[in-house]
Amino acid sequence: TLKSMEKYYKTIAQLFCREQKFVELFLKSKGFCLKHYANLLRFSSFAGVMAKDYINKVKVKDIVYEL
């Protein structure tokens, strides 16, 4: 549901500023599709004082176009 996804986006931002191990795993990820990327940015304020760093490190997954 929409509410559940909003909780996930908020939690990811909160973990980014509170858990170093999470940040390490997060930065090793392949990134996110554009839809989820946009929502992660939308909830970036939940990263608190690290919001700017969070925004700069969230990655978009490589886009592959198939014919």
Side-chain angles (χ1 to χ4, degrees):
T1 68
L2 183 59
K3 285 287 185 194
S4 294
M5 289 306 296
E6 287 179 359
K7 287 181 186 179
Y8 283 117
Y9 299 130
K10 291 175 186 177
T11 300
I12 288 171
Q14 291 168 341
L15 285 171
F16 187 88
C17 70
R18 295 181 183 155
E19 299 288 334
Q20 183 58 37
K21 183 67 175 171
F22 176 81
V23 173
E24 292 168 14
L25 294 171
F26 182 82
L27 296 178
K28 290 179 185 177
S29 75
K30 293 181 181 181
F32 303 92
C33 68
L34 291 176
K35 176 184 172 184
H36 292 115
Y37 174 75
N39 283 314
L40 287 169
L41 294 179
R42 194 170 126 223
F43 288 92
S44 63
S45 64
F46 287 87
V49 296
M50 294 188 66
K52 191 172 188 176
D53 191 39
Y54 173 78
I55 290 169
N56 290 327
K57 291 184 177 173
V58 172
K59 298 181 282 190
V60 177
K61 189 173 185 175
D62 291 336
I63 299 173
V64 176
Y65 296 96
E66 294 182 14
L67 298 176

